[in-house]
Coordinates of all heavy atoms in Angstrom, one line a residue:
V98 N 350.3 0.4 101.6 CA 349.4 1.1 102.6 C 348.8 2.3 101.9 O 349.5 3.1 101.2 CB 350.2 1.5 103.8 CG1 349.4 2.3 104.8 CG2 350.8 0.3 104.5
L99 N 347.5 2.5 102.1 CA 346.8 3.6 101.5 C 346.3 4.6 102.5 O 346.0 5.8 102.1 CB 345.6 3.1 100.6 CG 346.0 2.6 99.2 CD1 344.9 1.8 98.6 CD2 346.4 3.8 98.4
D100 N 346.1 4.2 103.8 CA 345.5 5.0 104.8 C 346.3 6.4 104.9 O 347.5 6.4 105.3 CB 345.6 4.3 106.1 CG 345.0 5.0 107.3 OD1 344.9 6.3 107.2 OD2 344.7 4.4 108.3
P101 N 345.7 7.5 104.6 CA 346.4 8.8 104.6 C 346.9 9.2 106.0 O 348.0 9.7 106.1 CB 345.4 9.8 104.1 CG 344.2 9.1 103.6 CD 344.3 7.7 104.1
A102 N 346.1 8.8 107.0 CA 346.6 9.2 108.4 C 347.8 8.5 108.8 O 348.8 9.0 109.3 CB 345.4 9.0 109.4
R103 N 347.8 7.2 108.4 CA 349.0 6.4 108.8 C 350.2 6.8 107.9 O 351.3 6.9 108.4 CB 348.7 4.9 108.6 CG 347.8 4.3 109.6 CD 348.0 2.8 109.8 NE 347.2 2.3 110.9 CZ 346.1 1.5 110.8 NH1 345.8 1.1 109.6 NH2 345.5 1.1 111.8
L104 N 350.0 7.0 106.6 CA 351.1 7.4 105.8 C 351.6 8.8 106.2 O 352.8 9.1 106.1 CB 350.7 7.5 104.3 CG 350.5 6.1 103.6 CD1 349.9 6.3 102.2 CD2 351.8 5.3 103.6
A105 N 350.8 9.7 106.7 CA 351.2 11.0 107.2 C 352.2 10.8 108.3 O 353.1 11.6 108.5 CB 350.0 11.8 107.7
Q106 N 352.1 9.7 109.1 CA 353.0 9.5 110.2 C 354.4 9.3 109.6 O 355.4 9.7 110.1 CB 352.7 8.3 111.0 CG 351.3 8.4 111.8 CD 351.0 7.1 112.5 OE1 351.8 6.3 112.9 NE2 349.7 6.9 112.7
L107 N 354.5 8.6 108.5 CA 355.7 8.3 107.8 C 356.3 9.6 107.2 O 357.5 9.9 107.2 CB 355.6 7.3 106.7 CG 355.1 5.9 107.2 CD1 355.1 4.9 106.0 CD2 355.9 5.4 108.3
G108 N 355.4 10.5 106.7 CA 355.8 11.8 106.1 C 356.4 12.6 107.2 O 357.4 13.3 107.0
R109 N 355.9 12.5 108.4 CA 356.5 13.3 109.5 C 357.9 12.8 109.9 O 358.8 13.6 110.2 CB 355.6 13.2 110.8 CG 354.4 14.2 110.6 CD 353.7 14.4 112.0 NE 352.9 13.3 112.4 CZ 351.7 13.0 112.0 NH1 351.1 13.7 111.1 NH2 351.0 12.0 112.5
L110 N 358.1 11.5 109.8 CA 359.4 10.9 110.1 C 360.4 11.5 109.0 O 361.6 11.8 109.4 CB 359.4 9.4 110.0 CG 358.6 8.6 111.0 CD1 358.8 7.1 110.7 CD2 359.0 8.9 112.4
V111 N 360.0 11.6 107.8 CA 360.8 12.1 106.7 C 361.1 13.6 107.0 O 362.3 14.0 107.0 CB 360.2 12.0 105.3 CG1 361.0 12.6 104.3 CG2 360.0 10.5 105.0
A112 N 360.1 14.3 107.3 CA 360.2 15.8 107.5 C 361.1 16.1 108.7 O 361.9 17.1 108.6 CB 358.8 16.4 107.7
D113 N 361.0 15.4 109.8 CA 361.8 15.7 110.9 C 363.2 15.0 110.9 O 363.9 15.1 111.9 CB 361.1 15.6 112.3 CG 360.7 14.1 112.6 OD1 361.3 13.2 112.0 OD2 359.8 13.9 113.4
G114 N 363.4 14.2 109.9 CA 364.7 13.5 109.8 C 364.9 12.4 110.7 O 366.1 11.9 110.9
T115 N 363.8 11.9 111.3 CA 364.0 10.7 112.2 C 364.3 9.4 111.5 O 364.9 8.5 112.1 CB 362.6 10.5 113.0 OG1 362.1 11.8 113.4 CG2 362.8 9.7 114.2
A116 N 363.9 9.3 110.3 CA 364.1 8.1 109.6 C 364.2 8.3 108.1 O 363.7 9.3 107.5 CB 363.0 7.1 109.8
R117 N 365.0 7.5 107.4 CA 364.9 7.4 105.9 C 363.7 6.4 105.6 O 363.8 5.2 106.1 CB 366.2 6.9 105.3 CG 366.0 6.8 103.8 CD 367.3 6.6 103.0 NE 367.0 6.8 101.6 CZ 367.8 6.6 100.6 NH1 369.1 6.2 100.9 NH2 367.5 6.8 99.4
V118 N 362.8 6.9 104.9 CA 361.6 6.0 104.7 C 361.4 5.7 103.2 O 361.4 6.7 102.4 CB 360.3 6.8 105.2 CG1 359.0 6.1 104.7 CG2 360.3 6.9 106.7
T119 N 361.3 4.5 102.9 CA 361.0 4.1 101.5 C 359.7 3.2 101.6 O 359.6 2.4 102.5 CB 362.1 3.2 100.9 OG1 363.3 4.0 101.0 CG2 361.9 2.9 99.5
V120 N 358.8 3.4 100.6 CA 357.6 2.6 100.6 C 357.5 1.9 99.3 O 357.9 2.4 98.2 CB 356.3 3.4 100.9 CG1 356.4 4.1 102.3 CG2 356.0 4.4 99.9
A121 N 356.8 0.7 99.3 CA 356.5 -0.1 98.1 C 355.3 0.5 97.5 O 354.3 0.9 98.2 CB 356.3 -1.5 98.5
V122 N 355.3 0.6 96.2 CA 354.1 1.1 95.4 C 353.9 0.1 94.3 O 354.8 -0.4 93.7 CB 354.3 2.5 94.8 CG1 354.4 3.5 95.9 CG2 355.5 2.6 93.9
D123 N 352.6 -0.2 94.0 CA 352.3 -1.1 92.9 C 351.1 -0.7 92.1 O 350.5 -1.5 91.3 CB 352.1 -2.6 93.5 CG 350.8 -2.7 94.2 OD1 350.1 -1.7 94.5 OD2 350.4 -3.9 94.5
S124 N 350.7 0.6 92.3 CA 349.5 1.1 91.5 C 349.6 2.6 91.5 O 350.3 3.2 92.3 CB 348.2 0.8 92.3 OG 348.2 1.4 93.6
P125 N 348.9 3.3 90.6 CA 348.9 4.8 90.6 C 348.4 5.3 91.9 O 348.9 6.3 92.4 CB 348.0 5.1 89.4 CG 348.0 3.9 88.5 CD 348.2 2.7 89.4
E126 N 347.5 4.6 92.5 CA 346.9 5.1 93.8 C 347.9 5.1 94.9 O 348.0 6.0 95.7 CB 345.7 4.2 94.2 CG 344.5 4.3 93.4 CD 344.5 3.4 92.1 OE1 345.6 2.8 91.8 OE2 343.5 3.4 91.3
T127 N 348.8 4.0 95.0 CA 349.8 4.0 96.0 C 350.9 5.0 95.8 O 351.4 5.6 96.7 CB 350.4 2.6 96.2 OG1 350.7 2.0 95.0 CG2 349.4 1.7 97.0
V128 N 351.1 5.3 94.5 CA 352.1 6.4 94.2 C 351.6 7.8 94.7 O 352.3 8.5 95.4 CB 352.3 6.5 92.6 CG1 353.1 7.7 92.3 CG2 353.1 5.2 92.2
V129 N 350.3 8.0 94.4 CA 349.7 9.3 94.8 C 349.7 9.4 96.3 O 350.0 10.5 96.9 CB 348.2 9.4 94.2 CG1 347.5 10.6 94.8 CG2 348.3 9.6 92.7
A130 N 349.3 8.3 96.9 CA 349.2 8.3 98.4 C 350.6 8.6 99.0 O 350.7 9.4 100.0 CB 348.7 7.0 98.9
A131 N 351.6 8.0 98.5 CA 353.0 8.3 99.0 C 353.4 9.7 98.8 O 353.9 10.4 99.7 CB 354.0 7.3 98.4
A132 N 353.1 10.2 97.6 CA 353.5 11.6 97.3 C 352.8 12.6 98.2 O 353.4 13.5 98.8 CB 353.3 11.9 95.9
H133 N 351.5 12.4 98.4 CA 350.6 13.3 99.2 C 351.1 13.3 100.7 O 351.0 14.2 101.4 CB 349.2 12.8 99.2 CG 348.5 13.4 98.0 ND1 347.2 13.2 97.7 CD2 348.9 14.2 97.0 CE1 346.8 13.8 96.6 NE2 347.9 14.4 96.1
A134 N 351.6 12.1 101.1 CA 352.0 12.0 102.5 C 353.4 12.6 102.8 O 353.9 12.7 104.0 CB 352.1 10.5 102.9
G135 N 354.1 13.1 101.8 CA 355.4 13.7 102.0 C 356.5 12.7 102.0 O 357.6 12.9 102.6
I136 N 356.3 11.5 101.5 CA 357.3 10.5 101.4 C 358.1 10.7 100.2 O 357.6 11.1 99.1 CB 356.7 9.1 101.4 CG1 356.0 8.8 102.8 CG2 357.6 8.0 101.0 CD1 355.0 7.7 102.8
H137 N 359.4 10.5 100.2 CA 360.3 10.8 99.1 C 360.7 9.6 98.3 O 360.9 9.7 97.1 CB 361.6 11.5 99.5 CG 361.4 12.9 100.2 ND1 362.2 13.5 101.0 CD2 360.3 13.7 100.1 CE1 361.7 14.6 101.4 NE2 360.6 14.8 100.9
D138 N 360.9 8.5 98.9 CA 361.5 7.3 98.3 C 360.5 6.2 98.1 O 359.8 5.8 99.1 CB 362.7 6.8 99.1 CG 363.8 7.9 99.2 OD1 363.9 8.7 98.2 OD2 364.6 7.9 100.2
V139 N 360.6 5.5 96.9 CA 359.7 4.4 96.7 C 360.5 3.3 96.0 O 361.5 3.5 95.4 CB 358.5 4.7 95.9 CG1 357.6 5.7 96.6 CG2 358.9 5.2 94.5
L140 N 360.0 2.0 96.2 CA 360.4 0.9 95.3 C 359.2 0.5 94.5 O 358.1 0.4 95.1 CB 360.9 -0.3 96.2 CG 362.2 -0.2 96.9 CD1 362.5 -1.6 97.6 CD2 363.4 0.2 96.0
V141 N 359.4 0.2 93.3 CA 358.3 -0.4 92.5 C 358.2 -1.9 92.9 O 359.1 -2.6 92.7 CB 358.5 -0.2 91.0 CG1 357.4 -0.9 90.2 CG2 358.5 1.3 90.7
D142 N 357.0 -2.2 93.4 CA 356.8 -3.6 93.9 C 356.2 -4.4 92.7 O 355.2 -4.1 92.1 CB 355.8 -3.6 95.0 CG 355.6 -5.0 95.7 OD1 356.2 -5.9 95.3 OD2 354.8 -5.0 96.6
V143 N 357.0 -5.4 92.3 CA 356.6 -6.2 91.1 C 356.1 -7.6 91.5 O 356.8 -8.2 92.3 CB 357.9 -6.3 90.2 CG1 357.6 -7.1 88.9 CG2 358.5 -5.0 89.8
N144 N 355.1 -8.0 90.8 CA 354.6 -9.3 91.1 C 355.5 -10.4 90.4 O 355.6 -10.3 89.2 CB 353.1 -9.5 90.6 CG 352.5 -10.8 91.0 OD1 353.0 -11.9 90.6 ND2 351.6 -10.8 91.9
V145 N 356.1 -11.3 91.2 CA 357.0 -12.3 90.6 C 356.4 -13.7 90.8 O 357.1 -14.7 90.7 CB 358.4 -12.2 91.2 CG1 359.0 -10.9 90.9 CG2 358.4 -12.4 92.8
G146 N 355.1 -13.8 91.1 CA 354.4 -15.1 91.1 C 353.5 -15.4 92.3 O 352.7 -16.2 92.2
L147 N 353.7 -14.7 93.4 CA 352.8 -14.8 94.5 C 351.5 -14.0 94.3 O 351.7 -12.8 94.0 CB 353.5 -14.3 95.8 CG 352.7 -14.2 97.1 CD1 352.4 -15.6 97.6 CD2 353.4 -13.4 98.1
P148 N 350.4 -14.6 94.3 CA 349.2 -13.8 94.0 C 348.8 -12.9 95.2 O 347.9 -13.2 96.0 CB 348.1 -14.9 93.8 CG 348.6 -16.1 94.4 CD 350.1 -16.0 94.5
R149 N 349.6 -11.8 95.4 CA 349.4 -10.9 96.4 C 349.7 -9.5 95.9 O 349.4 -9.2 94.8 CB 350.3 -11.3 97.6 CG 349.7 -10.9 99.0 CD 350.6 -11.4 100.1 NE 351.9 -10.7 100.2 CZ 352.8 -11.0 101.1 NH1 352.5 -11.8 102.1 NH2 354.0 -10.4 101.1
C150 N 350.5 -8.7 96.6 CA 350.8 -7.4 96.1 C 351.9 -7.4 95.0 O 352.5 -8.5 94.8 CB 351.3 -6.4 97.2 SG 350.0 -6.2 98.5
G151 N 352.1 -6.3 94.4 CA 353.1 -6.3 93.3 C 352.4 -6.0 92.0 O 351.4 -6.7 91.6
C152 N 352.9 -5.1 91.2 CA 352.2 -4.7 89.9 C 352.6 -5.8 88.8 O 353.5 -6.6 89.0 CB 352.7 -3.4 89.4 SG 354.4 -3.3 88.9
D153 N 351.7 -5.8 87.8 CA 352.1 -6.7 86.7 C 353.4 -6.2 86.1 O 353.6 -4.9 86.0 CB 351.0 -6.5 85.6 CG 351.1 -7.5 84.5 OD1 352.2 -7.6 83.9 OD2 350.0 -8.1 84.2
P154 N 354.3 -7.1 85.8 CA 355.7 -6.6 85.4 C 355.6 -5.6 84.2 O 356.5 -4.7 84.2 CB 356.4 -7.9 85.0 CG 355.7 -9.0 85.8 CD 354.3 -8.5 86.0
V155 N 354.7 -5.8 83.3 CA 354.6 -4.8 82.2 C 354.3 -3.4 82.6 O 354.6 -2.5 81.9 CB 353.6 -5.3 81.1 CG1 354.0 -6.6 80.5 CG2 352.2 -5.3 81.6
D156 N 353.6 -3.3 83.8 CA 353.3 -1.9 84.3 C 354.4 -1.2 85.0 O 354.2 0.0 85.4 CB 352.0 -2.0 85.2 CG 350.8 -2.5 84.4 OD1 350.7 -2.2 83.2 OD2 349.9 -3.1 85.0
A157 N 355.4 -2.0 85.4 CA 356.5 -1.4 86.2 C 357.1 -0.1 85.7 O 357.2 0.9 86.4 CB 357.5 -2.5 86.6
P158 N 357.5 -0.1 84.4 CA 358.1 1.2 83.9 C 357.2 2.4 84.0 O 357.6 3.5 84.3 CB 358.5 0.8 82.5 CG 358.3 -0.6 82.3 CD 357.5 -1.1 83.4
R159 N 355.9 2.1 83.6 CA 354.9 3.2 83.6 C 354.8 3.7 85.1 O 354.7 5.0 85.3 CB 353.6 2.8 83.1 CG 352.6 3.9 82.8 CD 351.5 3.5 81.8 NE 351.2 2.1 81.8 CZ 350.2 1.6 82.6 NH1 349.6 2.4 83.4 NH2 349.9 0.3 82.6

Side-chain angles (χ1 to χ4, degrees):
V98 173
L99 277 165
D100 180 341
R103 288 206 175 110
L104 287 176
Q106 296 175 28
L107 300 186
R109 283 196 286 280
L110 296 181
V111 175
D113 65 19
T115 318
R117 178 168 193 188
V118 170
T119 304
V120 302
V122 292
D123 73 351
S124 63
E126 290 82 357
T127 44
V128 167
V129 168
H133 277 179
I136 291 160
H137 295 158
D138 295 332
V139 296
L140 289 185
V141 175
D142 187 1
V143 180
N144 187 294
V145 295
L147 172 70
R149 209 176 67 178
C150 297
C152 67
D153 191 309
V155 298
D156 294 331
R159 190 159 32 88

